[in-house]
Amino acid sequence: MYGPIADTIRTQRLVLEPLAVHHADEMAPVLDDPRLHRYIGGEPLTREELRARYAHLVAGPAPYHQEYWLNWIVRRARDGQAVGYVQATVAPAPPGFAVTPAAAGSTVTPGPPRLVASVAWVVGMPYQGFGFATEAARALLDWLGAHGVRDVVATVHPGNLASAAVASRIGLRRTGETRDEEVVWRLPRDAAAAE
């Protein structure tokens, strides 16, 4: 499955630049604080490990996976400083169904194909508290909506109050679902339809 190719996204204060392998050189120091990994897991990667990870992400999944990966480095517009990243994994959503009334024969028909994006945002410790995560995540949702992706979810560690606040500010709503011990947040259908 092939989808849209990530292109540069600009906001008032940020530039979201499509991921490239060379970004590892400047992102390694941004992501090098162990506190950053408390909720997202793992530990800081070396520059070489991050280069290998970025090479994998840029290559994308095997075609039979029926998903595509979109990744951006988040930069401050005023000076080009890398401050974090946003990402979306886009895959086919489970089909919806329409049922005609009993008087018309109660026919069940599959709905149109849909895509669902699982989104994430990470901002380096020195750059937190300035609204960059919210601004970048909002820009990501707007870009996805403009490219036909209306179903959006994010998973947030229950202790990560800052990330939960970002999810709420960009219009996602906490659900009763969990995935891998994280809380699932979902863009309400009415909000997705309005975009």
Side-chain angles (χ1 to χ4, degrees), residues 161-185:
L161 301 181
S163 201
V166 170
S168 180
R169 282 195 291 272
I170 64 172
L172 302 181
R173 296 295 169 253
R174 185 184 183 119
T175 71
E177 304 168 54
T178 59
R179 189 180 304 159
D180 297 325
E181 300 180 21
E182 294 191 329
V183 177
V184 175
W185 290 71

Side-chain angles (χ1 to χ4, degrees), residues 37-133:
H37 299 267
R38 178 171 55 183
Y39 298 121
I40 64 173
E43 58 187 46
L45 300 177
T46 66
R47 190 177 312 260
E48 294 73 28
E49 292 168 332
L50 196 56
R51 275 183 151 302
R53 174 154 175 71
Y54 284 3
H56 177 71
L57 291 173
V58 168
Y64 60 83
H65 282 189
Q66 295 194 353
E67 66 182 24
Y68 53 96
W69 302 337
L70 299 164
N71 297 274
W72 289 264
I73 297 304
V74 177
R75 298 182 181 283
R76 279 191 309 225
R78 68 179 168 87
D79 62 3
Q81 171 64 49
V83 299
Y85 65 87
V86 293
Q87 61 189 32
T89 300
V90 182
F97 296 94
V99 180
T100 58
S106 295
T107 307
V108 177
T109 56
R114 298 177 298 124
L115 297 173
V116 61
S118 181
V119 299
W121 48 86
V122 175
V123 171
M125 296 301 290
Y127 311 104
Q128 292 182 8
F130 298 100
F132 294 148

Side-chain angles (χ1 to χ4, degrees), residues 21 43 54 65 88 117 143 157 195:
V21 175
E43 58 187 46
Y54 284 3
H65 282 189
W143 189 92
H157 187 283
E195 293 189 11

